[in-house]
Amino acid sequence: MLGLPNWKAKYDPKGLTPHPRDAPTRKRPSIVSVPLPHQPATATTLVVASSSAVYTLANTSPTASMASTGSVMLATSSAQLEMDSGAVKKNTTLICAPVMAGTVKEMVTQLDEAKSSGAELVEIRLDSLKNFSPHEDLKTLIKASALPTLFTYRPKWEGGQYDGDDKSRLDTLRLAMELGADYVDVELQVAFEFNASIQGSKPEKCKVIVSSHNYENTPSIEDLGNLVARIQAAGADIVKIATTALDITDVARMFHITVHSQVPVIGIVMGERGLISRVLCAKFGGFLTFGTLESGAVSAPGQPTIKDLLDLYNFRSIGPDTKVFGIIGKPVGHSKSPLLYNQAFKSAGFNGVFLHLLVDDVASFLQTYSSTDFAGFSCTIPHKEAAVKCCDEVDPVAKSIGAVNCIIRRQSDAKLFGYNTDYVGAISAIEDGLRDSHNGSSAGASPLNGKLFVVIGAGGAGKALAYGAKEKGARVVIANRTYDRARELAETIGGDALSLADLENFQPEDGMVLANTTSIGMQPKIDETPIPKHALKHYSLVFDAVYTPKMTRLLREAEECGATIVSGMEMFIGQAYGQYERFTGLPAPKELFRKIMSKY
């Protein structure tokens, strides 16, 4: 179990005292738990588990000045701010827009865009300018910005573009302070020198961010703690640490540092696996997060757009008591689940946020994020089968299928419960497609009864559809690249098996149903298909679980061959009904779901 390391006592012992009790026992002591204490706005104590003892960390009022080095940047449910729209902002985390351009004129345009996009701060990256006249250009940029300004002049040795001498660079940052900058960013390597040079002359309004960037990995929690101590010792008003996520579990260490710090902290974990650090910093008390003006125009790997922060993740509605949900997968960036659930959460007034979670090892992920704050997950390729073993209890249907696509963490004891809603969504959509093609006949019996139902894929989704089709009376055939896996699933459900290579010539009868449950044809490989077009003429209905794009090559060619087609979007929406109700305890907003997804 990881908790607050001993680094705090090394440097800043204020408010840190050993607790007389031993560390509390947990059911799974090896789990890294990332809970967020729920506390009133008055001064209180935060109990932090350590490997050797339990410490109490004094916490000042969250309404104290965010820029003060004595403040704890830990938001509480009462630390709410009024937003321009009149709605309540549930966190104090700022959205900062990086401004990067080759000319000052372009930067001025971006400064206007940052304000209108909803940013609260701009980071002006001076190292991106091709031609730079410090005195004149700094005055122009400061005057042109309607938002507080953060000036960064990043050298190449710290991942930036500046390739000159440090004296000129630091002189420029000092000049920015004199001319009215609100913040300057100085690298830890030169921070002692810089802060010594401004001693006694530092403008009162300007705060110094001392930063450290690690483009290789995320250090241990003890090393991160020692790094915070070094940055504090260098004279930082605000600590900034940016590391790189090799695994999504790396971010948990940054959350620990952020939530338990006594100074304002910007804790960013770069890369797609670190995305949650850029969103959940609002929950764990981070000073700011970076959001780009447009997709791809990033100043560091993994930055979301301001639009995504505000509109996709409802960033300003995230507070310390917000429950975290997400879709576990690899790949996962294509998923529309965050779009669907976050809009539904907002519409219902449900205090939750739903994230993309790029997970390599599902067991490690669930063990690391073991707090009840991480309340539920959708599970997609390739983790649906492995997730079964991670759950404390599994629904009988999901157990029969051998795969789960929905995991709920029970709030009373943090136990994990696994469910499968895939088969209901997919089978219902396929049945509806068959009924429509036969003018709605046989309302009492399933139109799948007696049909030859060919499933491509023997993974989690393949198991779900094979199980569902068999339950409806279909004769099931499993086709898979690896024949042994196809045979194993076929034996389990009572069907037949063949290799995917043999599917092209498999045509025992006409009117069959085909269901692709693999990722073949999914973005970005949209030109791929699991079966040649000429073989599709023997199928009356073709279903594709892939829904990005909505019209896959498989579906397009099947339609050209005269088959009824059913998009994976139908399965996606259908399975989401059950998951939403388990996540929230509320009825699924079916009309809203269809309205949201009709745009894609």
Side-chain angles (χ1 to χ4, degrees), residues 17-155:
T17 56
H19 197 286
R21 295 192 303 270
D22 290 330
T25 58
R26 293 173 182 251
K27 180 183 176 186
R28 303 178 217 177
S30 63
I31 294 174
V32 182
S33 184
V34 189
L36 188 66
H38 308 301
Q39 54 202 82
T42 55
T44 186
T45 56
L46 175 60
V47 180
V48 183
S50 170
S51 57
S52 58
V54 175
Y55 295 94
T56 56
L57 178 60
N59 183 24
T60 61
S61 168
T63 57
S65 169
M66 290 168 55
S68 168
T69 57
S71 300
V72 177
M73 295 310 300
L74 176 60
T76 72
S77 57
S78 60
Q80 297 178 337
L81 306 178
E82 290 295 320
M83 294 186 284
D84 291 341
S85 63
V88 175
K89 178 179 178 181
K90 295 183 179 178
N91 62 74
T92 56
T93 304
L94 302 174
I95 295 178
C96 180
V99 172
M100 302 180 68
T103 68
V104 171
K105 184 178 180 180
E106 291 173 306
M107 280 190 167
V108 169
T109 299
Q110 290 185 23
L111 291 173
D112 292 337
E113 292 173 359
K115 172 67 175 176
S116 61
S117 69
E120 296 151 310
L121 176 68
V122 287
E123 180 192 33
I124 299 174
R125 288 293 299 262
L126 297 175
D127 51 303
S128 68
L129 288 169
K130 303 302 181 187
N131 296 294
F132 181 42
S133 302
H135 198 279
E136 179 183 343
D137 292 343
L138 288 173
K139 288 173 68 174
T140 298
L141 291 166
I142 291 171
K143 183 178 180 181
S145 181
L147 296 172
T149 54
L150 158 59
F151 282 91
T152 299
Y153 207 179
R154 191 76 72 219

Side-chain angles (χ1 to χ4, degrees), residues 22 78 256 400 423 442 513:
D22 290 330
S78 60
H256 271 285
S400 298
Y423 80 102
S442 298
V513 174

Side-chain angles (χ1 to χ4, degrees), residues 19 55 97 101 125 149 151 178 186 250 263-264 282 357 387-388 400 415 423 433 446 448 465 480 485 524 543:
H19 197 286
Y55 295 94
R125 288 293 299 262
T149 54
F151 282 91
E178 294 171 11
V186 181
D250 294 344
V263 295
L357 303 169
V388 173
S400 298
K415 281 189 174 182
Y423 80 102
S446 171
L448 282 173
L465 265 77
N480 194 61
R485 288 206 67 189
F543 165 82

Side-chain angles (χ1 to χ4, degrees), residues 567-587:
S567 165
M569 190 67 75
E570 294 301 318
M571 173 182 172
F572 173 70
I573 294 173
Q575 60 83 32
Y577 294 157
Q579 293 203 41
Y580 178 88
E581 291 177 355
R582 288 190 169 92
F583 290 157
T584 66
L586 302 171

Side-chain angles (χ1 to χ4, degrees), residues 54-336:
V54 175
Y55 295 94
T56 56
L57 178 60
N59 183 24
T60 61
S61 168
T63 57
S65 169
M66 290 168 55
S68 168
T69 57
S71 300
V72 177
M73 295 310 300
L74 176 60
T76 72
S77 57
S78 60
Q80 297 178 337
L81 306 178
E82 290 295 320
M83 294 186 284
D84 291 341
S85 63
V88 175
K89 178 179 178 181
K90 295 183 179 178
N91 62 74
T92 56
T93 304
L94 302 174
I95 295 178
C96 180
V99 172
M100 302 180 68
T103 68
V104 171
K105 184 178 180 180
E106 291 173 306
M107 280 190 167
V108 169
T109 299
Q110 290 185 23
L111 291 173
D112 292 337
E113 292 173 359
K115 172 67 175 176
S116 61
S117 69
E120 296 151 310
L121 176 68
V122 287
E123 180 192 33
I124 299 174
R125 288 293 299 262
L126 297 175
D127 51 303
S128 68
L129 288 169
K130 303 302 181 187
N131 296 294
F132 181 42
S133 302
H135 198 279
E136 179 183 343
D137 292 343
L138 288 173
K139 288 173 68 174
T140 298
L141 291 166
I142 291 171
K143 183 178 180 181
S145 181
L147 296 172
T149 54
L150 158 59
F151 282 91
T152 299
Y153 207 179
R154 191 76 72 219
K156 281 192 172 181
W157 50 261
E158 189 80 357
Q161 300 181 45
Y162 178 77
D163 200 21
D165 66 280
D166 273 344
K167 182 180 182 306
S168 298
R169 188 173 66 86
L170 298 180
D171 284 344
T172 298
L173 292 176
R174 279 187 286 267
L175 179 59
M177 297 176 76
E178 294 171 11
L179 294 175
D182 298 283
Y183 306 89
V184 294
D185 180 315
V186 181
E187 299 76 25
L188 176 59
Q189 186 171 321
V190 295
F192 283 94
E193 174 190 344
F194 180 83
N195 282 318
S197 72
I198 61 172
Q199 196 166 8
S201 62
K202 177 186 172 187
E204 186 175 344
K205 70 168 277 191
C206 190
K207 303 300 178 184
V208 176
I209 299 172
V210 176
S211 61
S212 172
H213 298 77
N214 182 332
Y215 295 98
E216 296 181 358
N217 55 38
T218 298
S220 68
I221 197 166
E222 183 174 1
D223 286 345
L224 285 172
N226 288 329
L227 180 58
V228 171
R230 287 171 54 208
I231 292 175
Q232 284 184 255
D237 294 313
I238 300 165
V239 172
K240 178 187 175 186
I241 300 175
T243 63
T244 299
L246 302 181
D247 189 274
I248 195 170
T249 57
D250 294 344
V251 184
R253 301 195 288 278
M254 191 65 79
F255 286 154
H256 271 285
I257 292 298
T258 304
V259 78
H260 298 319
S261 178
Q262 289 186 309
V263 295
V265 171
I266 304 165
I268 299 295
V269 186
M270 297 179 285
E272 188 180 355
R273 290 171 176 80
L275 172 66
I276 60 172
S277 73
R278 299 180 180 276
V279 180
L280 295 184
C281 56
K283 175 179 174 65
F284 292 107
F287 182 74
L288 64 76
T289 192
F290 294 94
T292 64
L293 295 175
E294 58 185 68
S295 181
V298 301
S299 60
Q303 287 176 350
T305 63
I306 296 173
K307 180 175 175 57
D308 279 352
L309 286 172
L310 294 176
D311 298 340
L312 175 57
Y313 299 118
N314 302 322
F315 186 81
R316 289 182 174 137
S317 295
I318 298 173
D321 54 352
T322 297
K323 294 297 183 181
V324 180
F325 303 86
I327 179 160
I328 297 170
K330 183 183 179 182
V332 77
H334 67 281
S335 174
K336 296 292 190 293

Side-chain angles (χ1 to χ4, degrees), residues 461-519:
K463 289 180 175 180
L465 265 77
Y467 172 89
K470 189 71 175 180
E471 286 289 295
K472 297 294 185 176
R475 297 168 290 139
V476 178
V477 175
I478 310 297
N480 194 61
R481 279 176 174 166
T482 307
Y483 174 74
D484 287 345
R485 288 206 67 189
R487 185 188 64 208
E488 182 181 340
L489 175 55
E491 289 175 352
T492 300
I493 62 152
D496 295 316
L498 68 157
S499 69
L500 185 57
D502 292 333
L503 183 59
E504 178 180 352
N505 298 313
F506 181 74
Q507 40 194 283
E509 60 187 72
D510 289 332
M512 298 183 291
V513 174
L514 179 69
N516 174 43
T517 68
T518 73
S519 60

